[in-house]
């Protein structure tokens, strides 16, 4: 019996040490859309998700997909209509699931640019967490608007976080010119010192 208790104590201590080990400090949180997309047709993997996976692989970060509880339509035109209405209304769509960001010091935040802004579901995610002391590094896919107004929106929405300069990649490049997108990601991460 004493040997069993000793073995159990050793296992418990070992488990405690494992739990006390440092957790990952970087997260890539991304909103991305599949289906019919401007300038790339019908896609199975979203433009922004492609870039997100490149970033996560390069820095060894966890990856979390921001998804609304009610999916956007497959049609590009229908999606833009919904996105426009949500933007005008300042909507905060319910999310399918959430991610505890407490263990992360740095969050790479990815999204497509919709009408010069982040999709409203991204605001839902942002407003659901405490960002005090965290570093947020945005990246976006677009078809001509770069980062849009999102750097300013992030500073306004997350006043207690440090917001670094973002990366903007054309959606068509992410989807069809992956080596070029990878080079842009690699150079951007190097500028960030990662």
């Amino acid at each position: 019996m004493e040997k069993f208790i000793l073995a159990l104590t050793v296992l418990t201590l070992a488990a405690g040490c494992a739990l006390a080990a440092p957790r990952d400090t970087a997260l890539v949180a991304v909103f991305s859309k599949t289906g019919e997309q401007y300038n790339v047709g019908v896609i199975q993997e979203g433009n922004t998700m492609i870039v997100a996976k490149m970033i996560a692989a390069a820095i060894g970060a966890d990856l979390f997909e921001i998804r609304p509880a009610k999916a956007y339509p497959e049609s590009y035109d229908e999606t833009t209509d919904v996105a426009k209405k949500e933007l005008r209304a300042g909507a905060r769509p319910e999310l399918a699931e959430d991610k505890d960001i407490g263990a992360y010091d740095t969050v790479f935040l990815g999204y497509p640019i919709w009408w010069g802004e982040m999709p409203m579901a991204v605001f839902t995610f942002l407003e659901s967490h405490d960002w005090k002391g965290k570093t947020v590094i945005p990246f976006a896919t677009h078809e001509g608007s770069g980062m849009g107004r999102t750097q300013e929106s992030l500073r306004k929405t997350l006043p207690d976080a440090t917001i670094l300069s973002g990366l903007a990649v054309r959606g068509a490049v992410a989807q069809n010119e992956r080596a070029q997108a990878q080079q842009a990601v690699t150079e951007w991460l190097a500028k960030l010192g990662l």
Side-chain angles (χ1 to χ4, degrees):
M1 183 70 164
E2 287 179 21
K3 287 182 183 180
F4 173 76
I5 293 172
L6 179 60
L8 186 59
T9 303
V10 169
L11 287 173
T12 303
L13 289 172
C17 290
L19 293 175
R23 298 173 80 180
D24 292 334
T25 59
L27 173 69
V28 177
V30 57
F31 176 97
S32 193
K33 183 168 179 322
T34 57
E36 184 184 13
Q37 298 293 305
Y38 179 78
N39 213 22
V40 294
V42 177
I43 57 174
Q44 299 303 311
E45 183 173 36
N47 303 328
T48 317
M49 181 60 78
I50 292 167
V51 177
K53 287 180 177 179
M54 291 175 180
I55 294 167
I59 63 171
D62 291 340
L63 182 67
F64 172 71
E65 184 176 7
I66 301 167
R67 294 180 301 110
K70 181 180 178 187
Y72 287 95
E74 286 292 312
S75 158
Y76 172 76
D77 289 337
E78 289 177 43
T79 296
T80 58
D81 288 345
V82 171
K84 230 190 284 190
K85 288 176 187 170
E86 287 181 346
L87 179 61
R88 286 184 187 139
R92 296 299 186 259
E94 181 183 346
L95 300 182
E97 63 181 312
D98 200 6
K99 175 77 172 172
D100 180 0
I101 65 165
Y104 301 99
D105 299 324
T106 302
V107 177
F108 287 80
L109 182 68
Y111 43 83
I113 300 296
W114 287 0
W115 305 104
E117 192 55 89
M118 296 175 274
M120 295 297 101
V122 177
F123 283 97
T124 303
F125 176 73
L126 295 175
E127 293 170 1
S128 299
H129 298 282
D130 178 6
W131 296 87
K132 187 174 185 176
K134 298 198 183 294
T135 298
V136 177
I137 309 174
F139 62 97
T141 55
H142 66 97
E143 285 305 332
S145 56
M147 294 296 291
R149 298 183 298 276
T150 63
Q151 294 268 169
E152 179 183 321
S153 294
L154 285 168
R155 285 188 197 92
K156 183 178 176 184
T157 305
L158 308 177
D160 295 328
T162 300
I163 312 296
L164 300 186
S165 294
L167 171 69
V169 176
R170 284 190 179 267
V173 170
Q175 196 65 230
N176 302 318
E177 305 289 337
R178 296 196 187 189
Q180 185 179 340
Q182 182 66 65
Q183 181 179 352
V185 166
T186 301
E187 290 173 0
W188 176 61
L189 291 174
K191 285 180 186 174
L192 293 172
L194 300 172

